[in-house]
């Protein structure tokens, strides 16, 4: 028996060795950038050899362009159809610094529609690796893309501000590599169909990945650390010159966080850079829809994801797009820096004149646990007057809020609408309820939802304003002595089950608060 077992194990070992050798041989049989003069010493500019290798592969109908171990300093790399870049273990594509005469990265191409979204969303060629109008493209391998020479801001001539930028492409695979310091965007994909992003580690300056106006997208097994901006961000901007929905998207088995830049990759997970975030409101690092939302978001699932030391889940449509048919499940959140759940329908309306406000409807969030969430902003579900959020279901949710950190904090009694403002929880100020603030919503159901606070609290658990139909099924909330569980204003059709589970003296009806004028809208992050 031992002989048979040893024979089987030997056969498996030989097969694995042959397979690995065959794989290595196939890679070597592709186009090796060193054969075109790339030095890989981290000092010599390898831009021309890399692009020559890609051109040679494209002329022969496609294939793999291979980066063996080494550091390849380069400016803009031009992707082509039917090309795979393979970054091997020990290989780094290094974004080189611009040269003193202003040369370097490709200039940003003109875009007559760039007034409707920030500069970074409107241009693709000013990037380390970019492609427009391509098909059958992949970037693979366990190596690293290091955006050392990229800027996180609007670039000057010769600068690049994105690690990977793709526009109007299809059949794209991004798998297994690491992005360290990706500039303004680690990945910007605009109008890309059939996009697979798998097993990436991104530890970066601003947004980890922006999936904009894309269809049929799968994002799996990714870890994104982005303290200064959003981690995994779906957008639907007007950058293509027309409104196009981001739709048919799955996000699964991912982690997002807001630790200091670089400390995810080196394993130290530091927390010292919060004050350097562009909006000065603490680390970002979350999963978010928006802010750009001209085309809307449709048919999206998010499951099995972990949030650590970052902001919470944000679903926003404020530029006229429709956000609908979204299912989110199995979320774990810890040490959140603002609202665990933020659903916002607004009317900022950055887009062509005459576009009506959008819709936010048919969203289900289930099996979510959040621990040590910031109670300053509670969880917010807010439409605008005359345009309700519709058909929301929250199920099996447990949120533990930490208390307000100072007795001097001003708790609001009346919350401005901020209809035209940038959508971010802290723009509303410190909320008058610690758990949920729900306004301008039609048909919301909360099943097995439980909220509590860790420390002192003076506010009610939940405030409802202009809510038309809410079911509270097995809703539990820790409540300060003498305070109601639920305060409702201008709300009708409240259903509570089991009957009496929230005592009548813990449900308070109040008059609508006086209208608070909205301040001048602020632009903020994108």
């Amino acid at each position: 028996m031992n002989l048979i077992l040893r024979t089987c194990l030997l056969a498996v070992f030989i097969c694995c060795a042959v397979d690995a050798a065959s794989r290595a041989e196939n890679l070597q049989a592709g186009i090796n950038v060193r054969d075109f003069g790339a030095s890989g010493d981290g000092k010599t500019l390898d831009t021309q050899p890399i692009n020559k290798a890609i051109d040679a592969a494209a002329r022969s109908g496609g294939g793999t362009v291979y980066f063996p171990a080494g550091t390849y300093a380069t400016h803009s790399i031009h992707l082509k159809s039917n090309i795979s870049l393979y970054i091997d273990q020990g290989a780094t594509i290094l974004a080189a610094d611009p040269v003193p005469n202003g040369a370097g990265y490709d200039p940003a191409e003109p875009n007559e529609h760039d007034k409707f979204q920030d500069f970074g969303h409107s241009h693709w060629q000013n990037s380390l690796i970019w492609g427009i109008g391509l098909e059958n493209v992949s970037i693979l391998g366990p190596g690293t893309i290091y955006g050392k020479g990229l800027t996180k801001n609007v670039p000057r001539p010769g600068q690049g501000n994105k690690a990977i930028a793709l526009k109007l492409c299809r059949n794209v695979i991004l798998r297994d590599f690491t992005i360290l310091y990706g500039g303004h965007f680690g990945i910007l994909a605009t109008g890309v169909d059939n996009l697979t992003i798998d097993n990436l580690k991104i530890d970066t300056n601003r947004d980890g990945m922006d999936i904009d106006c894309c269809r049929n997208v799968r994002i799996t097994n990714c870890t994104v650390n982005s303290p200064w901006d959003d981690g995994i961000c779906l957008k639907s901007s007007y950058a293509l010159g027309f409104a196009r929905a981001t739709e048919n998207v799955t996000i699964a088995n991912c982690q997002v966080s807001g630790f200091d830049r670089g400390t995810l990759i080196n394993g130290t997970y530091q927390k010292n850079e919060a004050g350097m975030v562009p909006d000065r409101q603490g680390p970002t690092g979350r999963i978010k829809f928006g802010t750009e939302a001209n085309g809307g978001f449709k048919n999206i699932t998010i499951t099995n994801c972990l949030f650590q030391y970052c902001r919470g889940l944000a679903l926003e449509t404020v530029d006229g797009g429709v956000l609908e048919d979204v299912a989110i499940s199995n979320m774990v959140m810890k040490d959140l820096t603002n609202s665990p759940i933020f659903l916002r329908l607004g009317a900022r309306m950055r887009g062509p004149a005459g576009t009506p406000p959008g819709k936010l409807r048919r969203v289900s969030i289930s099996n979510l646990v959040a621990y040590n969430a910031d109670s300053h902003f509670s969880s917010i579900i807010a439409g605008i007057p005359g345009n309700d959020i519709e058909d929301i279901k929250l199920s099996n949710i447990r949120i533990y809020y930490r208390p307000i950190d100072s007795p001097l904090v001003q708790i609001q009694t009346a919350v401005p609408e901020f209809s035209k403002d940038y959508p971010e929880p802290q723009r509303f100020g410190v909320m008058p309820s610690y758990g949920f603030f729900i306004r301008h919503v039609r048909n919301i159901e909360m099943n097995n939802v439980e909220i509590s606070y860790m420390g002192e609290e003076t506010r009610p658990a939940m405030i409802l304003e202009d809510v038309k139909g809410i079911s509270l099924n097995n809703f539990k909330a820790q409540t300060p002595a003498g305070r109601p569980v639920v305060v409702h204003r201008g709300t009708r059709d409240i259903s509570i089950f089991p009957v009496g589970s929230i005592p009548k003296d813990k449900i308070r009806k109040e008059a609508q608060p006086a209208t608070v004028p909205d301040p001048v809208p602020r632009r903020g992050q994108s």
Side-chain angles (χ1 to χ4, degrees):
M1 180 64 73
N2 289 338
L3 178 61
I4 294 173
L5 180 60
R6 287 197 298 270
T7 302
C8 291
L9 290 174
L10 179 61
V12 170
F13 175 78
I14 292 171
C15 288
C16 291
V18 169
D19 180 69
S22 175
R23 179 169 164 268
E25 182 179 350
N26 287 337
L27 287 173
Q28 295 291 347
I31 302 292
N32 190 320
V33 295
R34 288 185 179 269
D35 292 339
F36 287 78
S39 69
D41 63 6
K43 299 176 182 179
T44 306
L45 271 179
D46 289 328
T47 311
Q48 289 189 358
I50 292 170
N51 284 313
K52 285 180 180 179
I54 293 172
D55 290 342
R59 285 195 300 270
S60 65
T64 298
V65 175
Y66 176 61
F67 291 79
T71 299
Y72 302 88
T74 180
H75 292 136
S76 294
I77 295 172
H78 307 150
L79 291 174
K80 300 289 178 71
S81 292
N82 304 310
I83 293 297
S84 171
L85 303 186
Y86 190 90
I87 313 168
D88 209 345
Q89 195 73 266
T92 297
I93 297 177
L94 171 66
D97 292 330
V99 295
N101 63 4
Y105 296 90
D106 294 341
E109 70 277 35
N111 186 348
E112 61 183 304
H113 308 289
D114 62 2
K115 62 183 177 181
F116 297 131
Q117 55 280 319
D118 291 348
F119 184 91
H121 298 287
S122 304
H123 307 278
W124 297 266
Q125 294 181 10
N126 56 331
S127 304
L128 175 60
I129 302 171
W130 66 267
I132 296 176
L134 307 180
E135 60 182 4
N136 309 325
V137 174
S138 58
I139 303 175
L140 311 170
T144 298
I145 297 171
Y146 179 20
K148 179 176 178 292
L150 301 175
T151 178
K152 65 182 185 297
N153 301 311
V154 175
R156 297 189 300 272
Q159 286 184 319
N161 74 341
K162 290 170 284 287
I164 299 171
L166 301 167
K167 175 186 176 185
L168 294 175
C169 299
R170 69 174 185 266
N171 306 334
V172 174
I173 302 173
L174 307 175
R175 179 175 288 145
D176 293 340
F177 56 87
T178 295
I179 296 177
L180 176 62
Y181 295 0
H184 197 158
F185 302 103
I187 299 169
L188 174 63
T190 309
V192 176
D193 290 350
N194 303 332
L195 171 62
T196 297
I197 301 176
D198 180 57
N199 194 35
L200 300 191
K201 293 185 289 293
I202 301 177
D203 195 343
T204 192
N205 310 66
R206 293 288 299 271
D207 281 7
M209 59 179 81
D210 275 29
I211 309 303
D212 188 6
C213 303
C214 296
R215 299 181 299 205
N216 302 324
V217 179
R218 294 151 300 280
I219 302 170
T220 53
N221 308 311
C222 293
T223 304
V224 183
N225 185 64
S226 53
W228 287 14
D229 222 316
D230 299 309
I232 299 174
C233 193
L234 306 185
K235 295 180 181 284
S236 58
S237 73
Y238 207 79
L240 297 173
F242 56 91
R244 189 183 202 247
T246 288
E247 57 186 323
N248 305 334
V249 178
T250 60
I251 302 173
N253 307 328
C254 292
Q255 298 184 15
V256 291
S257 60
F259 300 111
D260 292 356
R261 297 167 303 157
T263 68
L264 170 77
I265 297 301
N266 70 23
T268 59
Y269 308 106
Q270 298 298 306
K271 299 180 179 180
N272 302 315
E273 289 187 342
M276 302 175 71
V277 175
D279 65 5
R280 308 298 180 192
Q281 296 296 328
T284 311
R286 63 191 160 189
I287 297 176
K288 173 183 170 184
F289 296 22
T291 298
E292 285 74 14
N294 304 86
F297 309 93
K298 301 179 181 180
N299 309 330
I300 295 169
T301 69
I302 306 174
T303 190
N304 299 344
C305 292
L306 174 65
F307 294 59
Q308 294 186 84
Y309 188 58
C310 62
R311 301 183 194 183
L313 180 71
L315 276 61
E316 307 167 359
T317 178
V318 296
D319 295 322
V322 174
L323 192 163
E324 63 184 8
D325 301 319
V326 176
I328 299 168
S329 63
N330 300 343
M331 302 285 113
V332 173
M333 303 176 171
K334 188 173 182 181
D335 301 335
L336 297 182
T337 57
N338 69 6
S339 299
I341 299 170
F342 182 61
L343 273 59
R344 177 58 168 159
L345 170 59
R348 181 183 67 168
M349 308 312 295
R350 286 177 68 184
T355 302
K359 298 289 183 183
L360 198 164
R361 58 199 178 197
R362 300 195 297 274
V363 174
S364 171
I365 303 174
S366 62
N367 300 331
L368 181 152
V369 176
Y371 182 79
N372 197 31
D374 192 337
S375 69
H376 285 71
F377 315 111
S378 68
S379 287
I380 300 172
I381 303 174
I384 55 178
N387 198 10
D388 294 335
I389 291 175
E390 303 174 71
D391 301 327
I392 305 300
K393 181 179 285 189
L394 308 180
S395 304
N396 302 325
I397 291 174
R398 185 71 173 93
I399 304 175
Y400 301 80
Y401 288 97
R402 64 178 175 271
I404 291 176
D405 53 14
S406 169
L408 302 179
V409 166
Q410 182 68 41
I411 299 173
Q412 301 184 95
T413 55
V415 181
E417 295 285 351
F418 294 107
S419 298
K420 299 182 183 299
D421 208 279
Y422 183 87
E424 191 63 40
Q426 60 261 33
R427 297 289 170 93
F428 289 90
V430 179
M431 304 304 288
S433 52
Y434 81 83
F436 281 91
F437 182 85
I438 302 173
R439 180 163 64 184
H440 308 310
V441 175
R442 182 183 300 273
N443 187 21
I444 179 169
E445 185 176 314
M446 303 177 77
N447 304 305
N448 300 317
V449 173
E450 185 173 355
I451 54 177
S452 61
Y453 50 85
M454 304 179 295
E456 298 296 324
E457 184 55 75
T458 61
R459 297 168 292 171
M462 180 161 59
I463 290 179
L464 310 173
E465 293 186 356
D466 185 30
V467 175
K468 297 99 170 174
I470 179 168
S471 296
L472 301 176
N473 302 318
N474 196 29
F475 178 84
K476 298 178 181 178
Q478 184 181 3
T479 310
R483 300 295 293 166
V485 174
V486 178
V487 173
H488 63 95
R489 303 159 180 160
T491 292
R492 64 174 188 263
D493 298 331
I494 301 175
S495 172
I496 298 173
F497 184 84
V499 175
S501 58
I502 303 177
K504 289 184 179 180
D505 63 351
K506 290 293 186 179
I507 302 173
R508 179 184 298 172
K509 181 179 180 180
E510 296 181 350
Q512 290 280 15
T515 301
V516 179
D518 284 346
V520 176
R522 293 176 289 172
R523 188 167 181 175
Q525 288 176 275
S526 58

